[in-house]
Amino acid sequence: MIRIGIYGYGNLGRGVESAIGQNPDMELVGVFTRRDPKTVSAKAPVYRAEDAISMQDKIDVMILCGGSATDLPVQTPLLAEHFNVIDSFDTHAKIPSHFTAVDEKAKKGGKVGVISVGWDPGLFSLMRLYGGAVLPEGESYTFWGKGVSQGHSDAIRRIEGVVDARQYTVPVEKALSAVRSGENPVLTTREKHTRECFVVAEEGADTARIEKEIKEMPNYFSDYDTTVHFISMEELRANHSGLPHGGMVIRAGKTGDGSKHTVEYALKLDSNPAFTSSVLCAYARAAYRLQKEGKSGCMTVLDIAPKYLSPENVETLRATLL
Amino acid sequence: MIRIGIYGYGNLGRGVESAIGQNPDMELVGVFTRRDPKTVSAKAPVYRAEDAISMQDKIDVMILCGGSATDLPVQTPLLAEHFNVIDSFDTHAKIPSHFTAVDEKAKKGGKVGVISVGWDPGLFSLMRLYGGAVLPEGESYTFWGKGVSQGHSDAIRRIEGVVDARQYTVPVEKALSAVRSGENPVLTTREKHTRECFVVAEEGADTARIEKEIKEMPNYFSDYDTTVHFISMEELRANHSGLPHGGMVIRAGKTGDGSKHTVEYALKLDSNPAFTSSVLCAYARAAYRLQKEGKSGCMTVLDIAPKYLSPENVETLRATLL
């Protein structure tokens, strides 16, 4: 049995907890939280985050479920010296420096740290790699959605007069069709995705001003065609309480004889955090096995042979999957 | 530069030849054939197959382009002792014994042999593995087509009175929809695919008898709903001369919280051999690098970390793909 610890117990931590139950070779040893453990109820004992390191001998892999902004840059290197670790660090520009920090500590401790695991970065990164390698003459396209962007929803919530909000990223059908047809179009940000916002405003708030602030918000909305709907809290709760997401990675290219090919990988996810958690567990298995084989240091999904993800032995995989 | 040899010069061999031209880190050193080399014209010197072993020092990876029935079971182990080798062996039931034979010889020679490379087995095998690992509670489905099955076309050609034939495997739209919806249906062979045959008969041949023989042919057609069209040679040449193929691997499952997810990988290929050749080249790069790192023995796509397939270094891959 692979003994798992969960470090950080929000949406993602709870997702990992239930994903462990689907993997017969894993057991949850403990949940580590910055809150008062007495106030947290989980399917395993709950410990204070600062007590984690003292449990080094009881946990094979620590799955970090904190946020990329401030939690993981500190926590993953810290814990990588003492545990095999997995995180879902997704601040793209900082991945190289995060890698270096985790690599140093993991090597020092003789552990394996796998960073930036999930579906993007993660499975989508894999598909961009495989697509580019098997069709070197071509273009790769990534579309996200239809799904809830938590970052964009949060950005709307910070506007004065907004009580709650949900933002959907929606791929543009016309752009998708052009890509699938093998035309290899050059697409602007605006041409690839639209943004649809469902906003609950305070009573008496100036909705015209809120809508303008959303649509003009740099980085988040100003480069997109954005639609804003003001709805009631009841409607938000009834119709927009989930966190569905997904998307597509498409590689379209030509082989040397001039014939055209498209490779498309598509995810349709009812719950973004539940699926991400499930991917984290598969890579926890890989980290455990790789460290048992004597490996140490930081890795990403690009460094890990597929066989390490499956609970089956490789002879069975060869006989059943090839 | 990775110095490549091509062993066997049919559709697949010519595909590898043009794929090498798309990979700037590869050069074609020679083509090896059982025909008289004087009768074969290629983009590199043509040698007799039996002279291959004497060129051990000039070739880094030999890509085997023979057939799975009789060529590869002999050739891949033979050459694996002297070269890093890649093949597209696809006789499913014999993969474990082929693996053992290649593994023994490759280890003896300190070389890496990668077998069963292509899209199925190959990329589709990878997708079945990733899908099962990230959604352990679910079902995997593989659909092939719409595309030309060369084995089925050949089977029709063996019937008396048939001059030429092309058989398309076609996924059943209703089955696909059911799988995509997450219903996880149990599907019979007949429910998943239909078979559509375009047949050129000899003048005066008994087409009713030919149609009956096709539809009742065990293993190939009797378990399917099969349609037979008799056409002229001109029509066959005009409309059915290509070898398009493709298909889908779909994993549909639930995470521990009960939410549903589907993962779909789809290929649309204008030319089956051209695309397969391109995949062979990407894995030739991997074999070369793995052997340089000191690895030896037989491997499959399941054993090879994605990063080995790309000509880019891993720092660039991390910065651009994650």
Side-chain angles (χ1 to χ4, degrees):
Chain A
M1 292 295 270
I2 308 173
R3 301 167 302 167
I4 307 279
I6 294 174
Y7 197 91
Y9 195 61
N11 274 342
L12 203 58
R14 282 190 297 275
V16 170
E17 179 179 62
S18 67
I20 289 168
Q22 294 185 303
N23 287 285
D25 56 344
M26 296 183 186
E27 61 176 325
L28 177 60
V29 171
V31 167
F32 298 86
T33 178
R34 284 175 299 198
R35 288 175 274 167
D36 178 352
K38 289 194 209 85
T39 68
V40 176
S41 113
K43 289 181 196 158
V46 181
Y47 302 98
R48 298 185 324 150
E50 53 268 46
D51 294 338
I53 291 171
S54 71
M55 290 183 67
Q56 196 178 351
D57 297 338
K58 297 189 177 65
I59 290 169
D60 296 313
V61 188
M62 189 72 92
I63 302 182
L64 282 83
C65 299
S68 294
T70 56
D71 298 335
L72 299 176
V74 177
Q75 295 169 356
T76 314
L78 176 76
L79 294 171
E81 193 177 334
H82 307 280
F83 301 96
N84 298 312
V85 293
I86 307 290
D87 79 19
S88 60
F89 186 76
D90 66 358
T91 310
H92 176 78
K94 295 183 178 166
I95 287 174
S97 60
H98 188 55
F99 185 94
T100 304
V102 174
D103 193 49
E104 190 198 323
K105 295 292 189 171
K107 280 188 176 138
K108 197 171 163 193
K111 303 292 181 183
V112 167
V114 189
I115 63 162
S116 303
V117 173
W119 59 274
D120 198 1
L123 300 177
F124 274 19
S125 317
L126 288 176
M127 296 307 137
R128 290 188 282 262
L129 191 148
Y130 283 120
V134 302
L135 285 175
E137 210 174 312
E139 290 294 332
S140 294
Y141 298 85
T142 302
F143 291 90
W144 296 277
K146 182 180 177 176
V148 174
S149 163
Q150 298 186 65
H152 288 78
S153 301
D154 290 343
I156 299 173
R157 279 188 210 103
R158 288 192 291 267
I159 293 173
E160 202 193 314
V162 171
V163 180
D164 203 350
R166 201 71 85 246
Q167 193 269 184
Y168 294 90
T169 305
V170 186
V172 174
E173 203 51 53
K174 195 180 146 194
L176 262 177
S177 306
V179 168
R180 285 178 177 144
S181 76
E183 294 168 25
N184 286 1
V186 176
L187 297 167
T188 63
T189 298
R190 192 177 299 274
E191 285 167 335
K192 285 182 73 186
H193 297 93
T194 56
R195 299 200 175 276
E196 193 170 12
C197 312
F198 294 86
V199 180
V200 181
E202 282 172 11
E203 219 182 296
D206 178 354
T207 56
R209 192 253 315 150
I210 292 172
E211 179 165 344
K212 188 165 182 290
E213 280 194 41
I214 294 172
K215 290 185 171 177
E216 293 178 355
M217 196 185 298
N219 302 319
Y220 285 89
F221 293 99
S222 62
D223 294 335
Y224 297 85
D225 290 337
T226 301
T227 317
V228 179
H229 310 276
F230 289 94
I231 60 173
S232 67
M233 186 57 98
E234 291 66 42
E235 195 181 334
L236 189 86
R237 284 196 187 122
N239 301 332
H240 306 285
S241 62
L243 293 169
H245 218 316
M248 287 136 283
V249 174
I250 304 175
R251 178 76 179 181
K254 277 183 192 173
T255 42
D257 63 329
S259 55
K260 285 174 146 190
H261 312 275
T262 63
V263 182
E264 176 166 348
Y265 184 75
L267 295 177
K268 287 203 185 82
L269 313 175
D270 269 7
S271 162
N272 182 355
F275 184 76
T276 300
S277 305
S278 199
V279 180
L280 290 171
C281 283
Y283 278 93
R285 177 180 293 120
Y288 171 76
R289 291 175 172 181
L290 285 160
Q291 195 243 359
K292 280 222 152 185
E293 287 185 7
K295 305 286 192 307
S296 68
C298 191
M299 301 182 186
T300 74
V301 298
L302 309 175
D303 301 299
I304 294 177
K307 67 176 173 188
Y308 290 105
L309 304 182
S310 169
E312 300 289 352
N313 69 54
V314 72
E315 290 77 17
T316 305
L317 295 175
R318 273 202 296 275
T320 56
L321 299 178
L322 285 172
Chain B
M1 293 295 270
I2 307 172
R3 301 168 303 169
I4 306 281
I6 294 175
Y7 197 91
Y9 195 62
N11 273 341
L12 203 58
R14 283 189 297 274
V16 170
E17 179 179 61
S18 66
I20 289 167
Q22 294 185 302
N23 288 285
D25 56 344
M26 295 184 188
E27 60 177 324
L28 178 60
V29 171
V31 167
F32 298 85
T33 176
R34 284 175 298 198
R35 288 174 275 166
D36 177 353
K38 290 193 207 86
T39 67
V40 177
S41 114
K43 290 180 194 159
V46 181
Y47 301 98
R48 298 186 321 151
E50 53 268 46
D51 294 339
I53 292 171
S54 70
M55 290 183 67
Q56 197 179 352
D57 298 337
K58 298 187 177 64
I59 289 169
D60 296 311
V61 187
M62 189 71 90
I63 303 183
L64 283 82
C65 299
S68 294
T70 56
D71 299 334
L72 299 176
V74 177
Q75 296 170 355
T76 313
L78 176 74
L79 294 170
E81 192 177 335
H82 308 281
F83 301 96
N84 298 311
V85 293
I86 307 291
D87 79 19
S88 60
F89 186 77
D90 66 357
T91 310
H92 176 77
K94 295 184 178 166
I95 287 174
S97 61
H98 188 55
F99 184 95
T100 304
V102 174
D103 193 50
E104 189 198 323
K105 296 291 190 170
K107 280 188 176 139
K108 196 170 162 195
K111 302 292 180 184
V112 167
V114 189
I115 63 162
S116 302
V117 173
W119 58 275
D120 197 0
L123 300 176
F124 274 18
S125 317
L126 288 175
M127 296 308 137
R128 291 187 282 261
L129 191 147
Y130 282 120
V134 302
L135 285 175
E137 209 174 311
E139 290 294 331
S140 293
Y141 298 85
T142 302
F143 290 90
W144 295 277
K146 183 181 177 178
V148 173
S149 164
Q150 298 186 66
H152 288 77
S153 302
D154 290 344
I156 299 173
R157 279 188 210 103
R158 288 192 291 265
I159 293 173
E160 202 193 313
V162 171
V163 180
D164 204 351
R166 201 71 86 246
Q167 194 269 182
Y168 294 90
T169 306
V170 186
V172 175
E173 203 51 53
K174 194 181 147 196
L176 263 176
S177 307
V179 168
R180 286 179 176 140
S181 76
E183 293 169 26
N184 286 2
V186 176
L187 297 166
T188 62
T189 298
R190 192 177 298 274
E191 285 167 335
K192 285 182 73 186
H193 297 93
T194 56
R195 299 201 175 275
E196 193 170 13
C197 312
F198 294 86
V199 181
V200 181
E202 283 172 10
E203 220 183 294
D206 179 352
T207 56
R209 191 253 316 150
I210 292 172
E211 179 165 344
K212 187 166 182 288
E213 281 193 41
I214 294 171
K215 290 185 171 176
E216 294 178 356
M217 197 185 298
N219 302 318
Y220 286 88
F221 293 99
S222 63
D223 295 336
Y224 298 85
D225 290 338
T226 301
T227 317
V228 179
H229 310 276
F230 289 94
I231 62 173
S232 68
M233 187 57 99
E234 292 65 42
E235 196 182 335
L236 190 86
R237 284 194 187 123
N239 301 331
H240 306 283
S241 62
L243 293 169
H245 219 315
M248 288 137 280
V249 174
I250 303 174
R251 178 77 179 180
K254 278 183 191 173
T255 42
D257 63 329
S259 55
K260 284 174 146 190
H261 312 275
T262 63
V263 182
E264 176 166 347
Y265 184 75
L267 295 176
K268 287 201 185 84
L269 312 175
D270 269 6
S271 163
N272 182 356
F275 184 77
T276 300
S277 305
S278 199
V279 179
L280 291 172
C281 283
Y283 278 93
R285 178 181 293 120
Y288 171 76
R289 291 174 170 180
L290 285 160
Q291 196 244 356
K292 279 222 153 186
E293 287 185 5
K295 304 286 192 305
S296 68
C298 191
M299 300 182 186
T300 74
V301 298
L302 308 175
D303 300 300
I304 294 178
K307 66 176 174 187
Y308 290 105
L309 303 182
S310 169
E312 301 288 353
N313 68 55
V314 73
E315 290 77 19
T316 305
L317 295 175
R318 273 203 295 274
T320 56
L321 299 179
L322 286 172

